[in-house]
Amino acid sequence: AKDLLHAHRAADPSALERIHRHHPTLHKLPLTQLPTATFTLTDAQLILAREHSFESWPKFAAHITTLTLIRNVADLTDPVAAFIEVACVPRHDSHATGTLEHAQLILQRYPEVATANIHTAAILADEPAVRAFLSRDPSLATAKGGPHQWDALTHLCFSRYLRLDQQRSDAFLRIAQTLIAAGASAATGWYEMIDHPNPRPIFESTIYGAAAVARHPGLTQLLLDNGADPNDEETPYHVPETYDNTILRILLQSGKLNQTSLNTILLRKA
């Protein structure tokens, strides 16, 4: 797009012809007037999109992203780790962002990933697979694995499928119940380093994933009932970021919020 922008400024004949053919308004001008017409990077992006039969740049860019993902998926050396990485929340970006597209592409190319271990099964809410893993080895309820060394309940609570695929909602809750009954801690999670360049550790708890990222009422209640502590830095800070106060009511009714957390919620809701 930048090349086309520069070519327009240089009055390159082939660039002017492309602009005249595809631009929704500039095509009305005579070719002789195009070199002096206002033409921005956004205009150049639109020309590229229309040359490839897309009506807008965002749709064309999304198509390119998909093609890139497909090529990358074909060359994966560790499909299981790659799947876990993209099927869970991004560790260094907003946790409530992203789609399931990349994860689904990996599953299409490597279907064996879905039941590779208890972690992928928990991420996908595959209840029979999780139960089978636990039946063979009950210690898997607390075993850590995957690229981040999380346990199965942490993978479940920070699964993008939990946030984005409502059809799996009940299965996620049942699996969480099964994991806790088998010995998993409702207060599990992991430590992340934040506030660079002066880093400090912050605990990313399962209650944060369930309550403030996925906003899953049943899972939030289950974790609270089994010892989860909502008084971390993340849960009271992010739960108020919605007009739906269902999760907030559950936290308040639990009686577990301390004064600091209550103050944070009041400030965030103000």
Side-chain angles (χ1 to χ4, degrees), residues 15-142:
L16 296 178
E17 177 60 34
R18 292 166 64 192
I19 295 168
H20 192 261
R21 183 182 307 117
H22 294 288
H23 199 280
T25 57
L26 294 182
H27 77 277
K28 299 175 183 178
L29 296 177
L31 275 171
T32 55
Q33 294 182 21
L34 281 182
T36 58
T38 300
F39 188 74
T40 66
L41 180 60
T42 299
D43 293 311
Q45 291 172 334
L46 178 59
I47 298 302
L48 289 179
R50 292 198 164 193
E51 285 180 331
H52 290 84
S53 301
F54 289 87
E55 63 182 22
S56 69
W57 174 258
K59 291 184 178 181
F60 180 50
H63 174 68
I64 295 300
T65 298
T66 298
L67 293 178
T68 302
L69 291 177
I70 291 172
R71 285 195 295 270
N72 291 342
V73 164
D75 297 327
L76 290 176
T77 56
D78 189 345
V80 174
F83 171 77
I84 292 174
E85 187 80 43
V86 299
C88 292
V89 301
R91 288 180 58 187
H92 306 296
D93 199 353
S94 172
H95 291 156
T97 61
T99 70
L100 298 176
E101 181 180 17
H102 200 173
Q104 287 297 108
L105 286 172
I106 293 175
L107 288 178
Q108 291 170 16
R109 177 66 176 79
Y110 308 97
E112 67 276 10
V113 164
T115 54
N117 54 47
I118 195 170
H119 306 289
T120 59
I123 289 168
L124 289 166
D126 187 336
E127 190 175 4
V130 169
R131 290 184 180 277
F133 279 116
L134 291 174
S135 176
R136 292 193 294 269
D137 185 357
S139 71
L140 291 177
T142 57

Side-chain angles (χ1 to χ4, degrees), residues 34 42-43 170 180 190 198 201 214 240 245 258 260:
L34 281 182
T42 299
D43 293 311
D170 292 342
I180 291 172
W190 86 95
N198 299 304
N245 293 319
N258 62 28
T260 299

Side-chain angles (χ1 to χ4, degrees), residues 91-93 95 150 190-204 233-234:
R91 288 180 58 187
H92 306 296
D93 199 353
H95 291 156
W150 295 351
W190 86 95
Y191 280 95
E192 190 67 80
M193 299 302 293
I194 65 168
D195 293 348
H196 296 275
N198 299 304
R200 64 182 178 87
I202 185 173
F203 188 61
E204 307 282 11
E233 288 188 53
E234 300 278 33

Side-chain angles (χ1 to χ4, degrees), residues 118-187:
I118 195 170
H119 306 289
T120 59
I123 289 168
L124 289 166
D126 187 336
E127 190 175 4
V130 169
R131 290 184 180 277
F133 279 116
L134 291 174
S135 176
R136 292 193 294 269
D137 185 357
S139 71
L140 291 177
T142 57
K144 297 183 183 297
H148 307 313
Q149 287 299 296
W150 295 351
D151 57 30
L153 187 58
T154 301
H155 280 116
L156 184 154
C157 290
F158 287 95
S159 168
R160 279 178 166 160
Y161 288 87
L162 176 64
R163 179 173 65 87
L164 296 172
D165 191 344
Q166 295 301 310
Q167 292 184 343
R168 303 175 194 239
S169 179
D170 292 342
F172 273 118
L173 181 57
R174 291 193 299 268
I175 291 172
Q177 291 169 330
T178 298
L179 288 169
I180 291 172
S185 170

